[in-house]
Coordinates of all heavy atoms in Angstrom, one line a residue:
M18 N 0.8 -1.2 0.0 CA 0.0 0.0 0.0 C 0.9 1.2 0.0 O 1.8 1.4 0.8 CB -0.9 0.0 1.2 CG -2.0 1.0 1.3 SD -3.1 0.8 2.7 CE -4.6 0.6 1.8
K19 N 0.6 2.2 -0.9 CA 1.4 3.4 -1.0 C 1.1 4.4 0.1 O 0.0 4.4 0.7 CB 1.1 4.1 -2.3 CG 1.6 3.3 -3.5 CD 1.3 4.1 -4.8 CE 1.6 3.4 -6.0 NZ 1.1 4.0 -7.2
K20 N 2.1 5.2 0.4 CA 2.0 6.2 1.5 C 0.8 7.1 1.3 O 0.0 7.4 2.2 CB 3.3 7.0 1.6 CG 3.3 8.0 2.6 CD 4.7 8.6 2.6 CE 4.8 10.0 2.9 NZ 6.1 10.6 2.9
E21 N 0.6 7.5 0.0 CA -0.5 8.4 -0.3 C -1.9 7.8 0.0 O -2.8 8.4 0.5 CB -0.5 8.9 -1.8 CG 0.7 9.7 -2.1 CD 2.0 9.0 -2.2 OE1 2.0 7.7 -2.5 OE2 3.1 9.6 -2.1
E22 N -2.0 6.5 -0.3 CA -3.2 5.7 -0.1 C -3.5 5.6 1.4 O -4.6 5.8 1.9 CB -3.1 4.3 -0.6 CG -3.1 4.3 -2.2 CD -2.8 2.9 -2.7 OE1 -1.9 2.2 -2.1 OE2 -3.4 2.5 -3.7
I23 N -2.4 5.4 2.2 CA -2.6 5.3 3.7 C -3.0 6.7 4.2 O -3.9 6.7 5.0 CB -1.3 4.9 4.3 CG1 -0.9 3.4 3.9 CG2 -1.4 5.0 5.9 CD1 0.4 2.9 4.4
I24 N -2.4 7.7 3.7 CA -2.8 9.1 4.2 C -4.3 9.4 3.9 O -5.0 9.9 4.7 CB -1.9 10.2 3.6 CG1 -0.5 10.1 4.2 CG2 -2.5 11.6 3.8 CD1 0.6 11.0 3.6
E25 N -4.7 9.0 2.7 CA -6.1 9.3 2.3 C -7.1 8.5 3.2 O -8.1 9.0 3.6 CB -6.4 8.9 0.8 CG -5.8 10.0 -0.1 CD -6.3 11.4 0.2 OE1 -7.5 11.6 0.3 OE2 -5.4 12.3 0.3
Q26 N -6.7 7.3 3.5 CA -7.6 6.4 4.3 C -7.6 7.0 5.8 O -8.6 7.1 6.4 CB -7.1 5.0 4.3 CG -8.2 4.0 4.8 CD -7.9 2.6 4.3 OE1 -6.9 2.3 3.7 NE2 -8.7 1.7 4.8
L27 N -6.4 7.4 6.2 CA -6.2 8.0 7.5 C -7.0 9.3 7.7 O -7.7 9.5 8.7 CB -4.7 8.3 7.8 CG -4.3 8.6 9.2 CD1 -4.7 7.6 10.2 CD2 -2.8 8.8 9.2
K28 N -7.0 10.1 6.6 CA -7.8 11.3 6.6 C -9.3 11.1 6.8 O -10.0 11.7 7.6 CB -7.6 12.2 5.4 CG -6.2 12.9 5.4 CD -5.9 13.5 4.0 CE -6.6 14.8 3.8 NZ -6.1 15.5 2.6
S29 N -9.8 10.0 6.1 CA -11.2 9.7 6.2 C -11.6 9.2 7.6 O -12.7 9.4 8.1 CB -11.7 8.7 5.2 OG -11.1 7.5 5.4
I30 N -10.6 8.5 8.3 CA -10.8 8.0 9.6 C -10.8 9.2 10.7 O -11.6 9.2 11.6 CB -9.7 7.0 10.0 CG1 -9.9 5.7 9.2 CG2 -9.8 6.7 11.5 CD1 -8.8 4.7 9.3
V31 N -9.9 10.1 10.5 CA -9.7 11.2 11.4 C -10.8 12.3 11.3 O -11.2 12.9 12.3 CB -8.3 11.8 11.2 CG1 -8.1 13.1 12.0 CG2 -7.2 10.8 11.6
K32 N -11.2 12.5 10.1 CA -12.1 13.7 9.8 C -13.3 13.9 10.8 O -13.5 15.0 11.2 CB -12.7 13.5 8.4 CG -13.4 14.8 7.9 CD -13.8 14.7 6.5 CE -14.5 16.0 6.1 NZ -14.8 16.0 4.7
P33 N -14.0 12.8 11.2 CA -15.2 13.1 12.1 C -14.8 13.6 13.5 O -15.6 14.2 14.2 CB -15.8 11.7 12.2 CG -15.3 10.9 11.1 CD -13.9 11.4 10.7
F34 N -13.5 13.5 13.8 CA -13.1 13.9 15.2 C -12.4 15.2 15.2 O -12.1 15.8 16.3 CB -12.1 12.8 15.8 CG -12.8 11.5 15.8 CD1 -12.5 10.5 14.9 CD2 -13.7 11.1 16.8 CE1 -13.0 9.2 14.9 CE2 -14.2 9.9 16.9 CZ -13.9 8.9 15.9
V35 N -12.1 15.8 14.0 CA -11.4 17.0 13.9 C -12.2 18.2 14.4 O -13.3 18.4 14.0 CB -10.9 17.3 12.4 CG1 -10.3 18.6 12.2 CG2 -10.0 16.2 12.0
R36 N -11.5 19.1 15.2 CA -12.2 20.3 15.6 C -11.6 21.6 15.0 O -12.1 22.7 15.2 CB -12.1 20.4 17.2 CG -12.9 19.4 17.9 CD -13.3 19.8 19.2 NE -14.0 18.8 19.9 CZ -13.6 18.3 21.1 NH1 -12.6 18.7 21.7 NH2 -14.3 17.3 21.7
N37 N -10.5 21.4 14.3 CA -9.8 22.5 13.6 C -9.8 22.2 12.1 O -8.9 21.5 11.6 CB -8.4 22.7 14.1 CG -7.7 23.9 13.5 OD1 -8.1 24.4 12.5 ND2 -6.6 24.4 14.1
Q38 N -10.8 22.6 11.4 CA -11.0 22.3 10.0 C -9.9 22.8 9.1 O -9.4 22.1 8.2 CB -12.4 22.8 9.5 CG -12.9 22.1 8.3 CD -13.0 20.6 8.5 OE1 -13.5 20.1 9.5 NE2 -12.6 19.8 7.5
E39 N -9.4 24.0 9.4 CA -8.3 24.6 8.6 C -7.1 23.8 8.7 O -6.4 23.5 7.7 CB -8.1 26.0 9.1 CG -7.0 26.8 8.3 CD -6.8 28.2 8.7 OE1 -7.6 28.8 9.4 OE2 -5.7 28.7 8.4
A40 N -6.7 23.3 9.9 CA -5.5 22.5 10.1 C -5.7 21.1 9.3 O -4.8 20.6 8.7 CB -5.2 22.2 11.5
F41 N -6.9 20.6 9.3 CA -7.2 19.4 8.6 C -7.0 19.5 7.1 O -6.5 18.7 6.4 CB -8.6 18.9 8.9 CG -9.0 17.6 8.2 CD1 -8.5 16.4 8.7 CD2 -9.9 17.6 7.2 CE1 -8.8 15.2 8.0 CE2 -10.2 16.4 6.5 CZ -9.7 15.2 7.0
E42 N -7.5 20.7 6.6 CA -7.4 20.9 5.2 C -6.0 21.1 4.7 O -5.6 20.9 3.6 CB -8.2 22.2 4.8 CG -9.7 21.9 4.9 CD -10.6 23.1 4.8 OE1 -10.1 24.2 4.5 OE2 -11.8 23.0 5.1
N43 N -5.1 21.6 5.7 CA -3.7 21.8 5.4 C -2.8 20.7 6.0 O -1.6 20.9 6.3 CB -3.2 23.1 5.9 CG -4.0 24.3 5.2 OD1 -4.1 24.3 4.0 ND2 -4.6 25.1 6.0
L44 N -3.4 19.5 6.2 CA -2.7 18.4 6.8 C -1.4 18.0 6.2 O -1.4 17.9 4.9 CB -3.7 17.2 6.8 CG -3.3 16.0 7.6 CD1 -4.3 15.7 8.7 CD2 -3.2 14.8 6.7
T45 N -0.4 17.8 7.0 CA 0.9 17.3 6.5 C 1.3 16.2 7.4 O 0.6 15.9 8.4 CB 2.0 18.4 6.5 OG1 2.3 18.7 7.9 CG2 1.6 19.7 5.8
E46 N 2.5 15.6 7.1 CA 3.0 14.5 7.9 C 3.4 15.0 9.3 O 3.5 14.3 10.3 CB 4.2 13.9 7.3 CG 3.8 13.1 6.0 CD 4.9 12.6 5.2 OE1 6.1 12.5 5.7 OE2 4.7 12.2 4.1
E47 N 3.6 16.3 9.5 CA 4.0 16.9 10.8 C 2.7 17.3 11.6 O 2.9 17.7 12.8 CB 4.8 18.2 10.5 CG 6.0 18.0 9.6 CD 6.9 16.9 10.1 OE1 7.2 16.8 11.3 OE2 7.3 16.1 9.2
T48 N 1.5 17.2 11.1 CA 0.3 17.6 11.8 C 0.2 16.7 13.0 O 0.2 15.5 13.0 CB -0.9 17.4 10.9 OG1 -0.7 18.3 9.7 CG2 -2.2 17.8 11.6
D49 N -0.1 17.4 14.2 CA -0.2 16.7 15.4 C -1.8 16.6 15.7 O -2.5 17.5 15.5 CB 0.4 17.6 16.5 CG 0.4 16.9 17.9 OD1 -0.7 17.0 18.5 OD2 1.4 16.3 18.3
F50 N -2.2 15.4 16.1 CA -3.6 15.2 16.4 C -4.2 16.1 17.4 O -5.3 16.6 17.3 CB -3.8 13.7 16.8 CG -3.6 12.7 15.6 CD1 -2.7 11.7 15.8 CD2 -4.3 12.8 14.5 CE1 -2.4 10.8 14.8 CE2 -4.1 11.9 13.4 CZ -3.2 10.9 13.6
I51 N -3.5 16.2 18.5 CA -4.0 17.0 19.7 C -3.8 18.5 19.5 O -4.8 19.2 19.6 CB -3.4 16.5 21.0 CG1 -3.8 15.0 21.2 CG2 -3.8 17.3 22.2 CD1 -3.1 14.3 22.4
T52 N -2.6 19.0 19.3 CA -2.4 20.4 19.2 C -2.9 21.0 17.9 O -3.4 22.2 18.0 CB -0.9 20.7 19.4 OG1 -0.1 20.1 18.4 CG2 -0.4 20.4 20.8
D53 N -2.7 20.4 16.8 CA -3.1 21.0 15.5 C -4.6 20.7 15.2 O -5.3 21.6 14.8 CB -2.3 20.5 14.4 CG -0.8 20.8 14.5 OD1 -0.5 21.9 15.1 OD2 0.1 20.1 14.1
L54 N -5.0 19.5 15.3 CA -6.4 19.1 14.9 C -7.4 19.2 16.1 O -8.6 19.1 15.8 CB -6.4 17.7 14.3 CG -5.6 17.5 13.1 CD1 -5.6 16.0 12.6 CD2 -6.0 18.4 11.9
H55 N -6.9 19.4 17.3 CA -7.7 19.6 18.5 C -8.6 18.3 18.7 O -9.8 18.4 19.1 CB -8.6 20.8 18.4 CG -7.8 22.1 18.2 ND1 -7.7 23.0 19.2 CD2 -7.1 22.6 17.2 CE1 -7.0 24.0 18.8 NE2 -6.6 23.8 17.6
I56 N -8.0 17.2 18.5 CA -8.7 15.9 18.8 C -8.3 15.5 20.3 O -7.2 15.5 20.6 CB -8.2 14.8 17.8 CG1 -8.6 15.2 16.4 CG2 -8.8 13.5 18.3 CD1 -8.0 14.3 15.3
N57 N -9.4 15.2 21.1 CA -9.1 14.9 22.4 C -8.6 13.4 22.6 O -8.7 12.6 21.7 CB -10.3 15.2 23.4 CG -11.5 14.3 23.1 OD1 -11.3 13.1 22.8 ND2 -12.6 14.9 23.2
S58 N -8.0 13.1 23.7 CA -7.4 11.8 23.9 C -8.4 10.6 23.8 O -8.0 9.6 23.3 CB -6.6 11.8 25.2 OG -7.4 12.1 26.3
A59 N -9.6 10.9 24.2 CA -10.6 9.8 24.2 C -10.9 9.5 22.7 O -11.0 8.3 22.3 CB -11.9 10.2 24.9
N60 N -10.9 10.5 21.9 CA -11.2 10.3 20.4 C -10.0 9.7 19.8 O -10.2 8.9 18.8 CB -11.5 11.6 19.7 CG -12.9 12.1 20.1 OD1 -13.2 13.3 20.2 ND2 -13.9 11.2 20.3
L61 N -8.8 9.9 20.3 CA -7.6 9.2 19.7 C -7.7 7.7 19.8 O -7.3 7.0 18.9 CB -6.3 9.7 20.4 CG -5.7 11.0 19.9 CD1 -4.4 11.3 20.7 CD2 -5.4 10.8 18.4
V62 N -8.3 7.3 20.9 CA -8.5 5.8 21.1 C -9.5 5.3 20.0 O -9.2 4.3 19.4 CB -9.0 5.5 22.5 CG1 -9.4 4.0 22.6 CG2 -8.0 5.9 23.6
D63 N -10.5 6.1 19.8 CA -11.5 5.7 18.7 C -10.8 5.6 17.4 O -11.0 4.7 16.6 CB -12.7 6.7 18.7 CG -13.5 6.6 19.9 OD1 -13.7 5.6 20.5 OD2 -14.1 7.7 20.2
I64 N -9.9 6.6 17.1 CA -9.2 6.7 15.8 C -8.3 5.4 15.7 O -8.3 4.8 14.6 CB -8.4 8.0 15.7 CG1 -9.4 9.1 15.5 CG2 -7.4 7.9 14.6 CD1 -8.7 10.5 15.7
I65 N -7.6 5.1 16.8 CA -6.7 3.9 16.7 C -7.5 2.6 16.5 O -7.1 1.8 15.7 CB -5.9 3.8 18.0 CG1 -4.9 5.0 18.0 CG2 -5.2 2.5 18.1 CD1 -4.1 5.2 19.3
L66 N -8.7 2.5 17.1 CA -9.5 1.3 16.9 C -10.0 1.3 15.4 O -10.0 0.2 14.8 CB -10.7 1.3 17.8 CG -10.4 1.1 19.3 CD1 -11.7 1.3 20.1 CD2 -9.8 -0.2 19.5
D67 N -10.4 2.4 14.9 CA -10.8 2.5 13.5 C -9.6 2.2 12.5 O -9.8 1.6 11.5 CB -11.3 3.9 13.1 CG -12.7 4.2 13.8 OD1 -13.3 3.2 14.3 OD2 -13.1 5.4 13.9
I68 N -8.4 2.6 12.9 CA -7.3 2.3 12.0 C -7.0 0.8 12.0 O -6.8 0.2 11.0 CB -6.0 3.0 12.6 CG1 -6.1 4.5 12.3 CG2 -4.7 2.5 12.0 CD1 -5.1 5.4 12.9
E69 N -7.2 0.2 13.2 CA -7.0 -1.3 13.3 C -8.0 -2.0 12.4 O -7.6 -2.9 11.6 CB -7.2 -1.8 14.7 CG -6.0 -1.4 15.6 CD -6.2 -1.9 17.1 OE1 -7.4 -2.0 17.6 OE2 -5.2 -2.3 17.7
D70 N -9.2 -1.6 12.4 CA -10.2 -2.2 11.5 C -10.0 -1.9 10.1 O -10.0 -2.8 9.2 CB -11.6 -1.6 11.9 CG -12.1 -2.1 13.2 OD1 -11.6 -3.1 13.8 OD2 -13.1 -1.5 13.8
A71 N -9.7 -0.7 9.7 CA -9.5 -0.3 8.3 C -8.3 -1.0 7.7 O -8.4 -1.4 6.5 CB -9.3 1.2 8.2
F72 N -7.2 -1.2 8.4 CA -6.0 -1.8 7.9 C -5.8 -3.2 8.2 O -4.9 -3.9 7.8 CB -4.8 -0.9 8.3 CG -4.8 0.5 7.7 CD1 -5.2 1.5 8.4 CD2 -4.3 0.7 6.4 CE1 -5.2 2.8 7.9 CE2 -4.3 2.0 5.9 CZ -4.8 3.0 6.6
G73 N -6.7 -3.8 9.1 CA -6.6 -5.2 9.5 C -5.3 -5.4 10.3 O -4.6 -6.5 10.1
I74 N -5.0 -4.5 11.2 CA -3.7 -4.6 12.0 C -4.1 -4.5 13.5 O -5.2 -4.1 13.8 CB -2.7 -3.6 11.6 CG1 -3.3 -2.2 11.8 CG2 -2.1 -3.8 10.2 CD1 -2.3 -1.0 11.6
V75 N -3.2 -4.9 14.3 CA -3.3 -4.8 15.8 C -2.2 -3.8 16.2 O -1.0 -4.0 15.9 CB -3.2 -6.1 16.5 CG1 -3.2 -5.9 18.0 CG2 -4.3 -7.1 16.0
I76 N -2.6 -2.8 17.0 CA -1.7 -1.8 17.5 C -1.5 -2.0 19.0 O -2.4 -1.8 19.7 CB -2.1 -0.4 17.1 CG1 -2.3 -0.2 15.6 CG2 -1.2 0.7 17.7 CD1 -2.9 1.0 15.1
D77 N -0.3 -2.3 19.4 CA 0.0 -2.5 20.8 C 0.1 -1.2 21.5 O 0.2 -0.1 20.9 CB 1.3 -3.3 20.9 CG 2.5 -2.7 20.3 OD1 3.1 -1.8 20.9 OD2 2.7 -2.9 19.1
N78 N 0.0 -1.3 22.8 CA 0.0 0.0 23.7 C 1.2 0.8 23.4 O 1.2 2.0 23.4 CB -0.1 -0.4 25.1 CG -1.5 -0.9 25.5 OD1 -2.5 -0.7 24.7 ND2 -1.6 -1.6 26.6
Q79 N 2.4 0.2 23.3 CA 3.6 0.9 23.1 C 3.6 1.8 21.8 O 3.9 2.9 21.8 CB 4.8 0.0 23.1 CG 6.2 0.7 23.0 CD 7.3 -0.3 23.1 OE1 7.1 -1.5 23.1 NE2 8.5 0.2 23.1
S80 N 3.1 1.2 20.7 CA 2.9 1.9 19.5 C 1.9 2.9 19.6 O 2.0 4.0 19.0 CB 2.5 0.9 18.3 OG 3.6 -0.1 18.1
M81 N 0.8 2.6 20.3 CA -0.3 3.6 20.4 C 0.1 4.9 21.1 O -0.3 6.0 20.6 CB -1.4 2.9 21.4 CG -2.8 3.3 21.1 SD -3.9 2.4 22.2 CE -3.9 0.7 21.5
E82 N 1.0 4.8 22.0 CA 1.5 6.0 22.7 C 2.3 6.9 21.8 O 2.4 8.1 22.1 CB 2.4 5.6 23.9 CG 1.6 4.9 25.0 CD 2.4 4.3 26.1 OE1 3.6 4.5 26.1 OE2 1.8 3.7 27.0
K83 N 2.9 6.3 20.7 CA 3.7 7.1 19.8 C 2.9 7.8 18.7 O 3.4 8.6 18.0 CB 4.7 6.2 19.2 CG 5.7 5.6 20.1 CD 6.7 4.7 19.4 CE 7.6 4.0 20.4 NZ 8.4 2.9 19.8
M84 N 1.6 7.4 18.6 CA 0.8 7.9 17.5 C 0.2 9.2 17.8 O -1.0 9.4 17.9 CB -0.3 6.8 17.2 CG 0.2 5.5 16.6 SD -1.0 4.2 16.4 CE -1.9 4.8 15.0
L85 N 1.0 10.2 17.8 CA 0.6 11.6 18.2 C 0.5 12.5 17.0 O -0.1 13.5 17.0 CB 1.5 12.2 19.2 CG 1.6 11.4 20.5 CD1 2.6 12.1 21.5 CD2 0.2 11.4 21.2
N86 N 1.2 12.1 15.9 CA 1.1 12.9 14.7 C 1.0 12.0 13.4 O 1.0 10.8 13.6 CB 2.3 13.9 14.5 CG 3.6 13.2 14.4 OD1 3.7 12.1 13.8 ND2 4.7 13.8 14.9
I87 N 0.8 12.6 12.3 CA 0.5 11.8 11.1 C 1.7 11.0 10.7 O 1.6 9.8 10.4 CB 0.2 12.8 9.9 CG1 -1.1 13.6 10.2 CG2 0.1 12.0 8.6 CD1 -2.3 12.8 10.3
Q88 N 2.9 11.5 10.8 CA 4.2 10.8 10.4 C 4.3 9.5 11.3 O 4.6 8.4 10.8 CB 5.4 11.7 10.5 CG 6.7 11.0 10.1 CD 6.6 10.5 8.6 OE1 6.4 11.3 7.8 NE2 6.8 9.2 8.4
A89 N 4.2 9.7 12.6 CA 4.4 8.5 13.5 C 3.3 7.5 13.2 O 3.6 6.3 13.2 CB 4.3 9.0 15.0
T90 N 2.1 7.9 12.9 CA 1.0 7.0 12.6 C 1.3 6.3 11.3 O 1.1 5.1 11.2 CB -0.3 7.8 12.6 OG1 -0.5 8.5 13.8 CG2 -1.5 6.9 12.3
L91 N 1.7 7.0 10.3 CA 2.1 6.4 9.1 C 3.2 5.3 9.3 O 3.1 4.2 8.7 CB 2.7 7.4 8.1 CG 1.7 8.2 7.2 CD1 2.5 9.3 6.5 CD2 1.0 7.3 6.3
D92 N 4.2 5.7 10.0 CA 5.3 4.7 10.3 C 4.8 3.4 10.9 O 5.2 2.3 10.5 CB 6.4 5.4 11.2 CG 7.1 6.5 10.5 OD1 7.0 6.6 9.2 OD2 7.8 7.3 11.2
I93 N 3.9 3.6 11.9 CA 3.4 2.4 12.6 C 2.5 1.6 11.7 O 2.6 0.3 11.7 CB 2.7 2.8 13.9 CG1 3.7 3.4 14.9 CG2 1.9 1.7 14.5 CD1 3.2 4.1 16.1
I94 N 1.6 2.2 11.0 CA 0.8 1.5 10.0 C 1.6 0.7 9.0 O 1.4 -0.5 8.8 CB -0.2 2.4 9.3 CG1 -1.3 3.0 10.3 CG2 -0.9 1.7 8.2 CD1 -2.1 4.1 9.8
T95 N 2.6 1.4 8.4 CA 3.4 0.8 7.4 C 4.2 -0.4 8.0 O 4.3 -1.5 7.4 CB 4.4 1.8 6.9 OG1 3.7 3.0 6.4 CG2 5.3 1.3 5.7
T96 N 4.7 -0.2 9.2 CA 5.5 -1.3 9.8 C 4.6 -2.5 10.1 O 4.9 -3.7 9.8 CB 6.1 -0.9 11.2 OG1 7.0 0.2 10.9 CG2 6.8 -2.0 11.9
K97 N 3.4 -2.3 10.6 CA 2.4 -3.4 10.9 C 2.0 -4.0 9.6 O 1.8 -5.3 9.5 CB 1.2 -2.8 11.6 CG 1.5 -2.2 13.0 CD 1.9 -3.2 14.0 CE 2.1 -2.5 15.3 NZ 2.6 -3.4 16.3
L98 N 1.7 -3.3 8.5 CA 1.3 -3.9 7.2 C 2.4 -4.7 6.6 O 2.1 -5.8 6.0 CB 0.9 -2.8 6.2 CG -0.4 -2.0 6.5 CD1 -0.6 -0.9 5.6 CD2 -1.6 -3.0 6.4
N99 N 3.7 -4.3 6.8 CA 4.8 -5.0 6.2 C 5.0 -6.4 7.0 O 5.6 -7.3 6.4 CB 6.1 -4.2 6.3 CG 6.0 -3.1 5.2 OD1 5.3 -3.1 4.3 ND2 6.8 -2.1 5.5
K100 N 4.5 -6.5 8.2 CA 4.7 -7.7 9.0 C 3.6 -8.7 8.7 O 3.7 -9.8 9.2 CB 4.7 -7.4 10.5 CG 6.0 -6.7 11.0 CD 5.9 -6.4 12.5 CE 7.2 -5.7 12.9 NZ 7.2 -5.4 14.3
K101 N 2.5 -8.3 8.0 CA 1.4 -9.2 7.7 C 1.8 -10.2 6.7 O 2.5 -10.0 5.8 CB 0.2 -8.4 7.2 CG -0.5 -7.6 8.2 CD -1.6 -6.8 7.7 CE -2.8 -7.7 7.3 NZ -4.0 -7.0 6.8

């Protein structure tokens, strides 16, 4: 799966939880879920569960704690997909 495809799928998962629409429209790999998109920590758990379902992967707690921005999330998804 290409990086661009993962980002597009990730955007559709994250979109319902975004409170800063402008930051979402200008989303980059450096975008932070909490400070930039104003997503609260409870919603981050929902996003991670949705990511697991969408990509057919399991994200352990250690990886979950690192998923604070788009780049870290991409790295974890890519790593998990490559292990399948």
Side-chain angles (χ1 to χ4, degrees):
M18 188 175 241
K19 292 181 186 170
K20 180 171 145 180
E21 293 78 21
E22 293 173 316
I23 295 173
I24 290 175
E25 283 309 307
Q26 200 164 356
L27 192 55
K28 284 171 84 172
S29 67
I30 292 169
V31 170
K32 188 175 183 175
F34 302 101
V35 172
R36 292 207 185 122
N37 182 345
Q38 200 59 42
E39 185 179 338
F41 180 73
E42 289 167 11
N43 299 308
L44 188 118
T45 69
E46 293 173 14
E47 307 307 315
T48 301
D49 185 279
F50 290 121
I51 296 171
T52 57
D53 297 328
L54 299 178
H55 300 253
I56 296 172
N57 67 38
S58 55
N60 288 145
L61 273 180
V62 173
D63 293 329
I64 289 169
I65 290 168
L66 294 173
D67 291 347
I68 288 170
E69 288 181 324
D70 289 343
F72 293 97
I74 57 176
V75 175
I76 300 171
D77 56 88
N78 289 342
Q79 188 176 1
S80 296
M81 213 179 284
E82 290 171 8
K83 296 176 186 173
M84 294 173 71
L85 299 176
N86 64 30
I87 299 298
Q88 184 60 58
T90 303
L91 272 175
D92 293 343
I93 289 165
I94 292 170
T95 304
T96 301
K97 299 288 182 186
L98 288 174
N99 289 337
K100 288 182 179 176
K101 282 179 78 177

